[in-house]
Amino acid sequence: MSSGEVSALGIDVGSTTFKLVAVDTQGSMLWHILEPSQPRLEEQARRVLQEASAKAGRELDEGSIVATGYGRNLVPAGRRVTEITCHARGVFAATGHGGTLVDIGGQDSKVIVIGSDGRVTNFVMNDKCAAGTGRFLEVAATRLELDLDELGRVALESEEEVSISSTCTVFAESEIVSQIARGHPIEQIVRGLVRSLTRRVAALARSAGISEPVMLSGGVARNPAVREFLAQELGRPVELPEHPQLMGAYGAALLAQAEK
Amino acid sequence: MNPFGFLRYHLNVNLLGKSFLRLDRMRLSRRMRRTGFWRDEHLSPPLLTSPRLKELISSHYLKGRYANGHCPVAWVTSGGPVEFLVALGYYVLYPENHGAVCGIRRSAEDLCILAEGHGYSRDICSYARTDFGAMLGGKTPVGRLPRPDLLLCCSNICQTVLLWYRVLAHHFKVPLILVETPFLYRDALPHQVEYVKHQLEAGVEQAERVAGRTLAPSALDRVARLSKEASLSWAEIMACGKQRPAPITAFDEFIHMAPIVEMRGEQFTVDYYRAMLAELSGRIERGVGALANEKKRILWDNLPIWYRMRRLSRLLAERGVAMVASTYTNAWGELAEMMDSSRPLESAARVYLHPILNRGTGHKLETIKTMAKEYQADGIILHSDRSCKPYSVGQMDQREKLAGEMGLPALLLEADHNDPRVYSDEQAENRLEAFMEVLGV
Amino acid sequence: MALSTRTFDRLNEIFYVVPMSESSGEIAVPGRIETIRAYKALGGKVAAVFPIHYPRALFRACDILPVEVWGPPGVDTCLGDAHLQAYTCPIVRAGLSFLLQGKLDLVDMIVVPHACDSLQGLGSILLDFIKPARPVLPFYVPRGEGEPARQFLVAEISRVRDELCEIGCKSPTPEEISEALAREERADAALAELLARTANLPTSDRAFYRLVRSREYLPAEEFEKAARALLVRKTEKARPGIPVLLSGIVPEPGEIFDAIASASGRVAGDDLCCSGRRLYAPGHGNDPLSRMADGLLSGPPDSTRGSSVEERIAHLSALVERHAAKGIIFYNLKFCEPELFYLPQLRQGLQAAGVRSVVIESDLGERLSDQTVTRIEAFLESVA
């Protein structure tokens, strides 16, 4: 990333991760801060903003900040905008085109249809059920005693998979246990889990209406198996922007920049 | 209704189809009569009439495949007053029955997913979602469904059918006949019967216009008479379940009910049930039960769980639990006496108001109590069907009263009749196990 | 006389009460309990009425005040859950729980109109199993059209009148029924004007709907007075805010209006069962029961009355145009089949006409979830 004068900041307070992106007057991403979300969000926000000011070399006033994400009301910011609008903005700037953005976060998943002008034309969200979110894989990883980051690699190690049919994350956990008891290899189970997640997300995407290209963002986008399986489910290639986890914060920063 | 359609129909249905299906039936019958055909220690072999049933059902869908262009086509709700349509020469299709076939053949899930992809909520009836999936181009195991020229919707089974048929009417751009049967919280009142009668009369006019012909009273009389005969036979067949051991279970009845639901008013339906009754009488004479070893008898309330029938039937049979009757199959026989084929429209107005689903929850409880006594039931499974509120609402109180006042073990089993994603084998079977322990098997 | 906040808090515990706005002087509307007590003090009876369509005038003619029960939101449903599965309508589950908690002990009867399978089940289990101390009166509204439906409805209204007399209510003369009907027709006309002029009324959406929804319990003549009092204050300029149409069964919890307002929106156009879908036109002829039936059948296209998809699309498009709305918020109750069946084709038809929409699901909780607020904000951001 280039080092230039920080013009605006975007803050995305997610339930799993806290992200901050700094942009210059051109709207280019300069640097970012990414850390796990802490229970005391206000304290975290204050601390991170101090870090950001130090990094920028000057105090950044609220007018240069747009906050988004589920904790956006707890952050000092000039404006608060939903993560839907911010993600669309960020992805549009990062890729240069619209399409269907699939964002799988820690506790929710959303599909945002972005028009050729960068505007949101439709969106659907799953925020009532953990089964279509990163949480699903988190629970599975814990149960399988694997690192969350390993899951994707492990899933791709196997050609075969064991189908996980439970609709509910909690019941999927017991299904995992019974499949292990039946002697199925971990790789096949993990593959089945990722399949289950991507099927659900693909269904959400279809209900929003697919407008090509399909793009993936959010923490779970780092999982290579998710991207591959989603492409299989939708029968189309899935693009990955350069910083999939930062799209919300980036979009927020761009909105802040545009206000100035 | 055009020469090409006529020829195509007769070639495929009457010439080719009929012969092929007949040969297939004969082949199956032969196979069934071979020794060693059936090797199951818990369940008796299927009825020897089963190949004929298969022939009738296949024939029905085959006719449907070539119906467009040959005769007018109507899509009808399962409780609909179909007699005048049959008498007018309509080919009649039942989306619910088609839904059940998809459920049994495990294609309902994909159709539901297709419908959901188009925005239909998972919280609406799984039959409707299956149907919408098929409507939107999904693959159906019956080949191809004919386009309707007319829709007939009778609300005596639930209120969502009208919503469902409005969607169909919008998609197919065809007229919708509504026969609204006001819900009977108590006994039927004259203004309710009048209302249904007027709607039937208007429906007949509308159907005549679409078909381009007039309803001949003699044709209607004939169809009504056949409908009544078949319903009476069906009632007798179910009454066989009162025998000990029961020669037939409700699981069999769920399959054999196809003719009375979707081929009412035909001579071959009457003949089929006569043959079935004869075979069942034979079993009764020889003391042959549907289960090899009947130990306990239970009732079933609500629609079947179509995608799990075989497995559930086996689970119960292995423990000697015979499902001797159900309120669901009963619905197509219990009103037979009320039919008056000499006054078809007048009596239809009354008959179609009275199915169990159009009557109060208290009436259903009384019906179950009566059935429990008549069939000497040791317990009952109430399927709490997520997709069917009219059938399921009231079950909690009904269960309480059956278990409490009547001392009848009653299991409330949560599932869905057509959507397997709502069903968990482990959970359901765990409850069934516990229930069977209470029964003492 | 303004009631103190503390009294309201206590009343809130006893019964569902519409809170007064902090900046009082906007619209002063008495709450449900207050109204019930006042009516009973005058010697009248009170009926708790479930949604949706029913003949108000008939009850008033018998000196019975109908007070509607739309939930209320935030009720603990554990008592009702013993009788109703979780997939039943939230209004029905809440209403039954409310009854079982004794909160409807103030009323003299319970009326259950027929609008869907959940309400059908409620009426039936009340009559057959729960058997509350108060009489339960079902009422069937036809979904059909034309003369047979009208005749049926007239007979059904007569049946209810006879039933009311049987349970000891006053037997009204035809003149009394006509008078009561005339009052309801005037109140309906006032409601229609309110909904037509939302944009030009100096009030917030939340306060506006407090007034609109008082139609659910205020005597017609009092509602008319309150409505007219606001209508005279109409302004030339439209209120600020991105205009959106609100469609659904009932706008609960009231926070939905706050969420729309904070996202710079305002409600322009009403397709709600509790209000806009009950804009009845006056009936014809002199026979009051016949007029009443005409009126009930004259409401706008409504999924709960099984209107065709075409009619619903046309109606919504017209509303959008009339109010220059930028989009539609379909605010759905979970498990509400009448709404869910129509939505896909409705939204498709509207989209073809360039009308954007969003679907938001509610379970009639006390609070609006963050997720719901986010959806409303995101939608308004996208149509701004």
Side-chain angles (χ1 to χ4, degrees):
Chain A
M1 290 193 263
S2 60
S3 58
E5 177 89 22
V6 171
S7 173
L9 294 179
I11 299 181
D12 182 356
V13 190
S15 49
T16 318
T17 48
F18 189 111
K19 302 151 283 247
L20 182 147
V21 165
V23 298
D24 62 18
T25 47
Q26 254 56 56
S28 304
M29 208 189 289
L30 294 173
W31 41 263
H32 69 270
I33 297 172
L34 173 86
E35 52 183 67
S37 287
Q38 280 154 16
R40 294 206 161 82
L41 280 174
E42 278 146 310
E43 277 177 34
Q44 183 175 28
R46 259 199 302 277
R47 180 183 42 79
V48 173
L49 274 170
Q50 268 172 12
E51 272 178 48
S53 299
K55 213 163 167 172
R58 62 183 180 91
E59 273 307 303
L60 293 147
D61 64 281
E62 280 186 17
S64 320
I65 306 174
V66 165
T68 187
Y70 115 108
R72 62 185 175 277
N73 291 315
L74 299 169
V75 172
R79 195 153 73 103
R80 292 171 181 98
V81 180
T82 66
E83 54 270 40
I84 287 97
T85 307
C86 289
H87 271 88
R89 197 58 196 263
V91 163
F92 185 72
T95 63
H97 54 70
T100 302
L101 175 66
V102 175
D103 181 271
I104 309 175
Q107 289 190 14
D108 71 14
S109 45
K110 32 190 180 289
V111 177
I112 305 165
V113 182
I114 308 169
S116 50
D117 57 354
R119 309 208 72 198
V120 172
T121 59
N122 194 16
F123 68 92
V124 288
M125 295 169 73
N126 160 37
D127 47 22
K128 287 211 169 79
C129 172
T133 74
R135 174 58 107 191
F136 183 73
L137 295 181
E138 218 180 297
V139 166
T142 311
R143 176 53 69 185
L144 293 164
E145 293 177 340
L146 289 171
D147 250 321
L148 189 55
D149 288 332
E150 284 182 80
L151 276 187
R153 182 186 54 76
V154 171
L156 292 174
E157 270 170 20
S158 169
E159 284 285 313
E160 290 173 39
E161 67 193 56
V162 166
S163 166
I164 301 292
S165 59
S166 297
T167 343
C168 167
T169 306
V170 173
F171 296 129
E173 213 182 327
S174 25
E175 205 179 338
I176 292 170
V177 171
S178 67
Q179 295 293 22
I180 294 175
R182 280 181 213 160
H184 287 119
I186 303 272
E187 299 78 39
Q188 290 185 18
I189 297 174
V190 173
R191 209 176 153 91
L193 285 163
V194 178
R195 178 78 59 197
S196 178
L197 172 73
T198 44
R199 278 233 167 99
R200 221 157 268 132
V201 172
L204 194 69
R206 273 184 224 109
S207 72
I210 310 272
S211 158
E212 296 192 6
V214 177
M215 301 166 282
L216 191 58
S217 71
V220 179
R222 296 174 301 148
N223 183 321
V226 170
R227 182 182 175 191
E228 189 175 305
F229 288 14
L230 188 62
Q232 280 170 20
E233 286 296 319
L234 295 175
R236 297 170 162 88
V238 171
E239 278 184 37
L240 205 60
E242 200 186 335
H243 302 284
Q245 256 183 310
L246 301 177
M247 290 296 99
Y250 181 41
L254 290 172
L255 286 167
Q257 171 54 33
E259 291 264 295
K260 303 185 83 176
Chain B
M1 283 122 18
N2 63 61
F4 175 68
F6 176 84
L7 279 169
R8 206 172 59 122
Y9 182 90
H10 280 281
L11 179 71
N12 286 293
V13 176
N14 289 334
L15 247 52
L16 298 170
K18 226 177 198 156
S19 327
F20 172 76
L21 289 173
R22 187 171 3 119
L23 285 169
D24 195 47
R25 175 193 19 111
M26 284 159 60
R27 183 185 59 87
L28 276 169
S29 294
R30 266 198 309 271
R31 230 182 77 198
M32 284 180 79
R33 288 172 212 271
R34 269 203 286 269
T35 40
F37 157 73
W38 187 254
R39 265 186 264 271
D40 188 312
E41 52 182 312
H42 303 292
L43 282 163
S44 291
L47 292 175
L48 293 170
T49 55
S50 303
R52 174 66 178 154
L53 176 72
K54 182 167 183 281
E55 186 186 6
L56 289 178
I57 297 174
S58 303
S59 169
H60 177 74
Y61 282 106
L62 182 66
K63 286 175 190 164
R65 211 181 200 163
Y66 298 101
N68 287 132
H70 171 254
C71 59
V73 173
W75 286 25
V76 185
T77 53
S78 63
V82 70
E83 285 76 10
F84 68 90
L85 292 175
V86 175
L88 275 169
Y90 277 83
Y91 170 80
V92 189
L93 182 88
Y94 291 79
E96 289 160 67
N97 184 275
H98 171 245
V101 172
C102 295
I104 294 171
R105 307 263 194 98
R106 315 290 172 94
S107 16
E109 187 176 340
D110 285 341
L111 291 170
C112 286
I113 290 173
L114 181 61
E116 288 154 25
H118 278 81
Y120 290 96
S121 165
R122 285 181 72 158
D123 291 333
I124 66 171
C125 170
S126 51
Y127 267 166
R129 277 179 284 141
T130 306
D131 190 42
F132 293 157
M135 175 182 89
L136 294 163
K139 279 192 163 49
T140 152
V142 307
R144 200 175 54 85
L145 294 177
R147 264 188 115 263
D149 298 301
L150 182 71
L151 299 164
L152 173 66
C153 173
C154 183
S155 63
N156 59 6
I157 52 173
C158 68
Q159 302 312 306
T160 65
V161 284
L162 175 54
L163 314 168
W164 174 353
Y165 276 57
R166 284 291 187 205
V167 170
L168 292 176
H170 186 68
H171 178 85
F172 289 113
K173 312 244 178 295
V174 293
L176 167 61
I177 297 175
L178 172 62
V179 177
E180 187 184 1
T181 46
F183 185 74
L184 301 183
Y185 292 96
R186 306 179 183 102
D187 292 332
L189 294 167
H191 72 288
Q192 293 163 331
V193 181
E194 270 303 288
Y195 181 39
V196 179
K197 183 159 148 283
H198 287 147
Q199 292 174 90
L200 284 173
E201 285 162 359
V204 169
E205 277 176 35
Q206 173 82 301
E208 284 175 334
R209 267 199 298 273
V210 172
R213 57 181 90 135
T214 339
L215 180 62
S218 56
L220 180 60
D221 288 347
R222 180 176 176 271
V223 171
R225 191 177 39 82
L226 289 170
S227 188
K228 178 170 179 157
E229 266 188 71
S231 300
L232 285 168
S233 295
W234 180 247
E236 278 190 74
I237 286 169
M238 286 183 299
C240 291
K242 295 180 189 174
Q243 299 294 320
R244 295 192 92 111
I248 187 173
T249 66
F251 286 111
D252 305 313
E253 287 167 10
F254 290 148
I255 304 296
H256 290 267
M257 69 192 288
I260 193 64
V261 179
E262 58 182 355
M263 294 174 254
R264 214 153 64 242
E266 300 280 2
Q267 181 66 51
F268 56 70
T269 300
V270 173
D271 296 337
Y272 181 72
Y273 287 134
R274 281 212 192 111
M276 194 175 156
L277 202 53
E279 187 177 347
L280 288 172
S281 303
R283 278 193 174 187
I284 293 169
E285 257 172 62
R286 298 186 325 268
V288 172
L291 264 61
N293 186 7
E294 180 184 295
K295 294 193 193 127
K296 294 286 176 181
R297 300 156 63 86
I298 62 170
L299 303 177
W300 175 275
D301 178 53
N302 214 318
L303 275 74
I305 300 172
W306 292 115
Y307 47 87
R308 274 294 178 273
M309 288 223 301
R310 205 162 300 176
R311 187 170 166 139
L312 290 175
S313 161
R314 180 151 297 282
L315 201 87
L316 293 168
E318 278 167 9
R319 305 278 274 272
V321 179
M323 192 177 289
V324 298
S326 80
T327 54
Y328 182 63
T329 49
N330 203 45
W332 275 272
E334 66 178 348
L335 300 177
E337 298 286 348
M338 204 189 272
M339 298 177 181
D340 180 353
S341 37
S342 66
R343 290 160 50 241
L345 279 193
E346 287 83 353
S347 85
R350 187 163 279 280
V351 167
Y352 285 100
L353 263 172
H354 283 82
I356 196 173
L357 275 178
N358 205 43
R359 304 196 60 185
T361 48
H363 174 262
K364 190 175 89 163
L365 176 63
E366 292 312 306
T367 303
I368 293 175
K369 282 182 174 168
T370 307
M371 283 176 79
K373 290 199 194 90
E374 289 181 358
Y375 287 80
Q376 299 172 64
D378 302 301
I380 177 170
I381 298 176
L382 298 133
H383 168 204
S384 174
D385 186 345
R386 193 191 156 90
S387 273
C388 193
K389 289 185 182 66
Y391 223 140
S392 304
V393 171
Q395 279 180 331
M396 296 174 83
D397 284 284
Q398 287 153 359
R399 200 213 73 82
E400 278 300 311
K401 297 212 186 282
L402 288 166
E405 290 164 19
M406 241 188 132
L408 188 74
L411 171 71
L412 196 70
L413 186 67
E414 276 146 19
D416 183 282
H417 60 269
N418 235 30
D419 189 347
R421 296 168 293 170
V422 173
Y423 183 81
S424 156
D425 279 320
E426 283 83 22
Q427 286 185 335
E429 290 175 15
N430 203 24
R431 285 177 204 203
L432 282 166
E433 283 289 334
F435 175 63
M436 288 193 285
E437 283 163 14
V438 169
L439 284 181
V441 288
Chain C
M1 181 192 88
L3 293 172
S4 72
T5 349
R6 212 148 32 92
T7 317
F8 262 92
D9 287 344
R10 207 163 53 76
L11 286 176
N12 249 321
E13 285 163 45
I14 304 168
F15 198 84
Y16 172 45
V17 173
V18 170
M20 294 275 246
S21 83
E22 279 71 55
S23 58
S24 97
E26 268 200 353
I27 301 152
V29 160
R32 270 166 235 243
I33 286 225
E34 217 185 319
T35 310
I36 291 174
R37 293 226 168 97
Y39 203 81
K40 290 191 86 135
L42 296 170
K45 292 194 155 97
V46 172
V49 186
F50 280 88
I52 300 173
H53 303 279
Y54 67 102
R56 284 189 176 117
L58 179 65
F59 289 89
R60 290 300 313 283
C62 299
D63 284 345
I64 303 167
L65 178 70
V67 175
E68 297 173 20
V69 181
W70 291 79
V75 165
D76 178 355
T77 60
C78 73
L79 288 180
D81 289 346
H83 302 273
L84 295 170
Q85 288 96 330
Y87 46 81
T88 320
C89 161
I91 289 182
V92 165
R93 281 171 74 204
L96 178 61
S97 303
F98 203 61
L99 167 78
L100 294 172
Q101 284 168 17
K103 305 282 177 68
L104 293 181
D105 287 352
L106 290 162
V107 310
D108 300 286
M109 68 197 72
I110 298 160
V111 179
V112 189
H114 187 283
C116 63
D117 288 315
S118 291
L119 280 165
Q120 172 179 295
L122 175 68
S124 192
I125 66 174
L126 283 175
L127 281 167
D128 295 342
F129 298 135
I130 297 175
K131 300 190 189 178
R134 313 282 176 272
V136 175
L137 282 74
F139 174 72
Y140 189 90
V141 174
R143 315 314 193 260
E145 289 161 343
E147 191 53 24
R150 205 191 63 82
Q151 276 181 21
F152 167 82
L153 189 51
V154 173
E156 179 72 356
I157 294 174
S158 302
R159 179 190 69 72
V160 175
R161 183 204 47 205
D162 295 341
E163 207 172 335
L164 287 171
C165 297
E166 269 169 49
I167 60 172
C169 298
K170 164 185 162 187
S171 181
T173 63
E175 291 74 36
E176 283 166 331
I177 301 180
S178 292
E179 271 172 40
L181 186 55
R183 284 196 298 266
E184 296 297 333
E185 285 174 354
R186 283 200 300 272
D188 284 336
L191 176 64
E193 269 195 70
L194 277 178
L195 294 181
R197 301 202 191 293
T198 343
N200 303 85
L201 296 172
T203 178
S204 65
D205 281 335
R206 192 158 188 175
F208 178 69
Y209 272 90
R210 239 175 269 137
L211 171 62
V212 163
R213 296 198 57 201
S214 67
R215 181 90 181 90
E216 295 167 18
Y217 58 92
L218 277 185
E221 55 280 19
E222 288 182 34
F223 172 79
E224 199 200 344
K225 256 201 309 243
R228 298 260 162 237
L230 180 60
L231 283 165
V232 292
R233 289 154 57 190
K234 67 176 184 286
T235 60
E236 275 299 314
K237 249 183 63 170
R239 272 191 286 143
I242 306 162
V244 283
L245 189 77
L246 192 57
S247 171
I249 305 294
V250 69
E252 288 283 15
E255 270 176 82
I256 173 101
F257 299 116
D258 299 338
I260 294 174
S262 351
S264 313
R266 67 170 168 86
V267 176
D270 179 314
D271 179 52
L272 296 164
C273 276
C274 61
S275 38
R277 294 197 211 173
R278 296 196 297 181
L279 289 178
Y280 306 118
H284 321 289
N286 292 318
D287 172 50
L289 294 191
S290 205
R291 262 183 92 99
M292 225 182 280
D294 280 344
L296 275 174
L297 293 173
S298 71
D302 180 2
S303 57
T304 70
R305 286 207 50 238
S307 304
S308 74
V309 177
E310 290 80 12
E311 285 173 308
R312 286 286 293 153
I313 293 175
H315 177 63
L316 288 172
S317 303
L319 273 179
V320 163
E321 210 179 317
R322 193 177 319 145
H323 295 278
K326 289 282 205 273
I328 304 181
I329 296 177
F330 286 105
Y331 189 61
N332 255 15
L333 273 178
K334 193 147 169 77
F335 304 117
C336 182
E337 284 136 344
E339 296 296 277
L340 292 173
F341 266 87
Y342 285 78
L343 275 178
Q345 287 177 332
L346 261 190
R347 297 185 72 198
Q348 225 173 50
L350 288 164
Q351 190 174 47
V355 179
R356 296 271 317 274
S357 62
V358 70
V359 177
I360 289 168
E361 195 174 75
S362 160
D363 56 8
L364 212 67
E366 198 165 356
R367 300 259 94 89
L368 222 55
S369 67
D370 282 346
Q371 293 94 328
T372 301
V373 174
T374 299
R375 277 183 171 81
I376 293 172
E377 289 176 354
F379 180 65
L380 284 162
E381 283 162 12
S382 70
V383 298

